[in-house]
Amino acid sequence: MLIKRKLGWEIPESQVTPQAVFLNRRSLIAGLAGAALAGAGMPALADVDPSQGLYPAKLNPAYKDAGRAITDEQYNVNYNNFYEFGTSKGIAAEAEKLRIRPWEIAVDGEVDKPFTIGIDDLLKKVVLEERIYRHRCVEAWSMVVPWSGFPLKSLVELAKPKTDAKYVRFETFNDPEMASGQQPGLFGTMPWPYIEGLTMAEAMHDLAFVVTGAYGKPVAKSMGAPIRIHLPWKYGFKSIKSIVKVSFVKERPIGMWEQLQASEYGFWANVNPAVPHPRWSQASEQVLGTGERIPTQIYNGYGEFVASLYTGLESEKLYM
Ligand SMILES: Nc1nc2c(c(=O)[nH]1)N[C@H]1C(S)=C(S)[C@@H](COP(=O)(O)O)O[C@H]1N2
Ligand SMILES: [Mo]
């Protein structure tokens, strides 16, 4: 039986540590860790990211402005949902244990020819660009990030899916030795690995973005290095981190959160202020780093681009 546990995004707003306080604590810890490292001497060679020289990527003028100020990098690197490294927002130090080279991505399922590709080889086959996107977590906080990466469409084209592929299924690494959050905990083990999915039409949409960098450099470990997705019109849990497998499938994938609590975390998860989460309102959001609460927009403000993906699907639970 599934024991109902309190997930990070279920903590009532009133109990969320104000970000300023939280960040002070985080930067204190980060400072201490940095001092310890400096004392230990030279950084290990393995810490040098071989993709560093690819950034900053050229800004795509279509996505040069998200209509809000870019969230300070320190907030985004230190305030995360990455349950593989713990259920709190303060996993950045723990996530440093993520080993990002070698990093292989398997592409399989309904494709011409399944293959595995190393991240640095994949980066040679695509054109990197920068896009400034909004991100809205289902917990009702939001941020604006200058992501670098390439359209998900480019990855689909490399994979050459067959016509009977209806969905793309993404999978994160599963390595409990490296990622302490994947070890059995108080309430048992979560159904690792993290899985998420999209329809082919969603994956081919221009807004669907594969992220390999942010803030003009390789994406931080805490933010899902070395390769994650970003889908600005959907709740954040759809934007899976640290991907090791991309599968083209006929059946609708069931994401990890949907496996845990299908009544609250559905497949579509499109942002809609009018449809509350079963336990809280989605009408407004707290903008990280500003102390501001602003109204949430349908499809997180990207409706004019994505709403047509959902015509004819009105009977589906599109907004949870
Ligand atoms: N593998 C994995 N991907 C994940 C998550 C996670 O816990 N594990 N959290 C999701 C949620 S709920 C959000 S809001 C975003 C957070 O991304 P950020 O840490 O860059 O803010 O990642 C999403 N992708
Ligand atoms: Mo989220």
Short mmCIF file of all heavy atoms in Angstrom, two decimals, residues 14 51 55 67 76 79 101 121 123 125 128 140 142 149 168 182 201 223 231 236 240 248 250 270 287 319:
data_model
loop_
_atom_site.label_atom_id
_atom_site.label_comp_id
_atom_site.label_asym_id
_atom_site.label_seq_id
_atom_site.Cartn_x
_atom_site.Cartn_y
_atom_site.Cartn_z
N SER A 14 2.61 28.57 3.77
CA SER A 14 2.94 29.20 5.06
C SER A 14 4.15 28.52 5.71
O SER A 14 4.82 29.11 6.54
CB SER A 14 1.75 29.11 5.99
OG SER A 14 1.39 27.76 6.17
N SER A 51 32.44 20.33 -22.05
CA SER A 51 31.57 21.10 -22.95
C SER A 51 31.62 22.60 -22.66
O SER A 51 30.95 23.40 -23.34
CB SER A 51 30.12 20.60 -22.84
OG SER A 51 29.58 20.94 -21.59
N TYR A 55 29.72 27.30 -24.53
CA TYR A 55 28.85 28.33 -23.96
C TYR A 55 29.63 29.62 -23.78
O TYR A 55 30.83 29.57 -23.63
CB TYR A 55 28.29 27.83 -22.61
CG TYR A 55 27.61 26.50 -22.73
CD1 TYR A 55 28.31 25.32 -22.47
CD2 TYR A 55 26.28 26.42 -23.14
CE1 TYR A 55 27.69 24.09 -22.61
CE2 TYR A 55 25.65 25.18 -23.28
CZ TYR A 55 26.37 24.02 -23.01
OH TYR A 55 25.75 22.81 -23.16
N GLY A 67 9.30 38.29 -20.47
CA GLY A 67 8.34 39.23 -19.89
C GLY A 67 8.55 39.47 -18.40
O GLY A 67 7.78 40.20 -17.77
N ASN A 76 18.54 29.75 -8.61
CA ASN A 76 18.25 28.56 -9.39
C ASN A 76 19.20 27.42 -9.10
O ASN A 76 18.83 26.26 -9.23
CB ASN A 76 18.25 28.91 -10.89
CG ASN A 76 16.92 29.52 -11.28
OD1 ASN A 76 15.91 29.22 -10.67
ND2 ASN A 76 16.94 30.36 -12.28
N TYR A 79 18.12 26.32 -5.14
CA TYR A 79 16.72 26.06 -4.75
C TYR A 79 16.15 25.12 -5.79
O TYR A 79 15.78 25.55 -6.89
CB TYR A 79 15.96 27.39 -4.71
CG TYR A 79 14.56 27.29 -4.16
CD1 TYR A 79 14.30 27.45 -2.80
CD2 TYR A 79 13.47 27.07 -5.02
CE1 TYR A 79 13.01 27.38 -2.30
CE2 TYR A 79 12.18 26.99 -4.52
CZ TYR A 79 11.95 27.15 -3.17
OH TYR A 79 10.68 27.09 -2.69
N ARG A 101 30.41 12.68 -16.43
CA ARG A 101 31.20 12.10 -17.53
C ARG A 101 31.80 10.80 -17.03
O ARG A 101 32.32 10.80 -15.90
CB ARG A 101 32.33 13.02 -18.00
CG ARG A 101 31.90 14.30 -18.71
CD ARG A 101 31.15 14.07 -20.00
NE ARG A 101 30.86 15.31 -20.70
CZ ARG A 101 29.97 16.23 -20.36
NH1 ARG A 101 29.22 16.05 -19.29
NH2 ARG A 101 29.80 17.31 -21.09
N ASP A 121 29.35 13.70 -27.91
CA ASP A 121 29.08 13.42 -29.32
C ASP A 121 27.73 14.00 -29.73
O ASP A 121 27.58 14.55 -30.82
CB ASP A 121 29.10 11.90 -29.58
CG ASP A 121 30.51 11.34 -29.47
OD1 ASP A 121 31.46 12.10 -29.79
OD2 ASP A 121 30.67 10.18 -29.06
N LEU A 123 26.35 16.61 -28.48
CA LEU A 123 26.50 18.07 -28.57
C LEU A 123 27.11 18.50 -29.91
O LEU A 123 26.90 19.62 -30.36
CB LEU A 123 27.34 18.59 -27.40
CG LEU A 123 26.62 18.58 -26.04
CD1 LEU A 123 27.59 18.88 -24.90
CD2 LEU A 123 25.45 19.56 -26.01
N LYS A 125 26.35 17.14 -32.73
CA LYS A 125 25.36 16.91 -33.80
C LYS A 125 24.23 17.93 -33.79
O LYS A 125 23.33 17.87 -34.62
CB LYS A 125 24.75 15.52 -33.65
CG LYS A 125 25.71 14.38 -33.97
CD LYS A 125 24.98 13.04 -33.88
CE LYS A 125 25.92 11.88 -34.04
NZ LYS A 125 26.34 11.68 -35.44
N LEU A 128 23.57 24.58 -30.68
CA LEU A 128 23.15 25.12 -29.38
C LEU A 128 22.65 26.55 -29.53
O LEU A 128 23.17 27.32 -30.32
CB LEU A 128 24.29 25.07 -28.37
CG LEU A 128 24.76 23.69 -27.93
CD1 LEU A 128 25.88 23.81 -26.89
CD2 LEU A 128 23.61 22.86 -27.37
N ALA A 140 3.64 26.07 -7.00
CA ALA A 140 3.28 27.48 -7.08
C ALA A 140 4.45 28.44 -6.82
O ALA A 140 4.26 29.52 -6.26
CB ALA A 140 2.08 27.83 -6.19
N SER A 142 7.89 30.10 -9.14
CA SER A 142 8.31 30.19 -10.54
C SER A 142 9.65 30.88 -10.64
O SER A 142 10.15 31.48 -9.68
CB SER A 142 7.26 30.94 -11.36
OG SER A 142 7.18 32.29 -10.94
N GLY A 149 20.65 25.04 -25.06
CA GLY A 149 20.37 23.68 -25.49
C GLY A 149 19.93 23.67 -26.92
O GLY A 149 20.36 24.51 -27.72
N VAL A 168 7.01 9.94 -26.46
CA VAL A 168 8.43 9.86 -26.09
C VAL A 168 8.48 9.69 -24.58
O VAL A 168 7.80 10.42 -23.84
CB VAL A 168 9.21 11.13 -26.47
CG1 VAL A 168 10.71 10.86 -26.36
CG2 VAL A 168 8.86 11.59 -27.87
N GLN A 182 17.85 8.05 -3.75
CA GLN A 182 17.32 6.84 -4.39
C GLN A 182 17.45 5.62 -3.49
O GLN A 182 17.04 4.53 -3.85
CB GLN A 182 18.02 6.60 -5.74
CG GLN A 182 17.63 7.65 -6.78
CD GLN A 182 18.23 7.41 -8.14
OE1 GLN A 182 19.39 7.01 -8.27
NE2 GLN A 182 17.46 7.68 -9.19
N ALA A 201 3.52 14.92 -30.75
CA ALA A 201 3.22 16.30 -31.17
C ALA A 201 3.82 17.30 -30.19
O ALA A 201 4.35 18.35 -30.59
CB ALA A 201 1.71 16.50 -31.27
N MET A 223 20.66 21.40 -11.19
CA MET A 223 19.58 21.70 -12.13
C MET A 223 19.40 20.60 -13.18
O MET A 223 18.63 20.76 -14.12
CB MET A 223 19.83 23.04 -12.81
CG MET A 223 19.78 24.21 -11.82
SD MET A 223 20.20 25.79 -12.58
CE MET A 223 18.68 26.19 -13.44
N LEU A 231 10.04 22.43 -20.53
CA LEU A 231 8.75 22.60 -21.19
C LEU A 231 8.04 23.74 -20.49
O LEU A 231 7.40 23.55 -19.46
CB LEU A 231 7.93 21.30 -21.03
CG LEU A 231 8.69 20.05 -21.47
CD1 LEU A 231 8.08 18.81 -20.86
CD2 LEU A 231 8.71 19.95 -23.00
N GLY A 236 6.51 22.03 -13.62
CA GLY A 236 7.94 21.69 -13.63
C GLY A 236 8.25 20.21 -13.57
O GLY A 236 9.28 19.79 -14.10
N ILE A 240 12.02 16.72 -16.96
CA ILE A 240 12.89 15.70 -16.34
C ILE A 240 14.37 16.05 -16.47
O ILE A 240 14.81 16.58 -17.49
CB ILE A 240 12.56 14.32 -16.94
CG1 ILE A 240 13.35 13.18 -16.27
CG2 ILE A 240 12.80 14.31 -18.46
CD1 ILE A 240 12.87 11.79 -16.68
N PHE A 248 10.98 5.77 -27.77
CA PHE A 248 9.81 6.09 -28.58
C PHE A 248 8.85 4.91 -28.45
O PHE A 248 9.22 3.78 -28.75
CB PHE A 248 10.25 6.37 -30.02
CG PHE A 248 11.07 7.64 -30.09
CD1 PHE A 248 12.43 7.63 -29.78
CD2 PHE A 248 10.46 8.84 -30.38
CE1 PHE A 248 13.17 8.80 -29.79
CE2 PHE A 248 11.21 10.03 -30.39
CZ PHE A 248 12.56 10.00 -30.10
N LYS A 250 4.59 3.17 -28.01
CA LYS A 250 3.21 3.22 -28.49
C LYS A 250 2.24 3.55 -27.37
O LYS A 250 1.17 4.10 -27.61
CB LYS A 250 2.84 1.85 -29.06
CG LYS A 250 3.63 1.44 -30.29
CD LYS A 250 3.18 0.07 -30.76
CE LYS A 250 4.09 -0.47 -31.84
NZ LYS A 250 3.79 -1.85 -32.21
N ASN A 270 -0.54 20.70 -17.86
CA ASN A 270 -0.42 22.04 -18.42
C ASN A 270 -0.81 23.07 -17.36
O ASN A 270 -1.78 22.88 -16.63
CB ASN A 270 -1.33 22.19 -19.64
CG ASN A 270 -0.91 21.29 -20.78
OD1 ASN A 270 0.27 21.20 -21.11
ND2 ASN A 270 -1.87 20.59 -21.37
N VAL A 287 7.39 34.37 -7.16
CA VAL A 287 8.53 34.46 -8.08
C VAL A 287 9.82 34.39 -7.27
O VAL A 287 10.08 35.26 -6.45
CB VAL A 287 8.47 35.76 -8.91
CG1 VAL A 287 9.56 35.75 -9.98
CG2 VAL A 287 7.10 35.93 -9.56
N TYR A 319 -5.00 19.72 -17.08
CA TYR A 319 -4.42 20.77 -16.23
C TYR A 319 -4.08 20.27 -14.83
O TYR A 319 -4.21 20.99 -13.86
CB TYR A 319 -5.39 21.95 -16.15
CG TYR A 319 -5.79 22.44 -17.53
CD1 TYR A 319 -7.07 22.25 -18.01
CD2 TYR A 319 -4.85 23.06 -18.35
CE1 TYR A 319 -7.43 22.69 -19.28
CE2 TYR A 319 -5.20 23.50 -19.62
CZ TYR A 319 -6.49 23.31 -20.07
OH TYR A 319 -6.84 23.75 -21.33
#
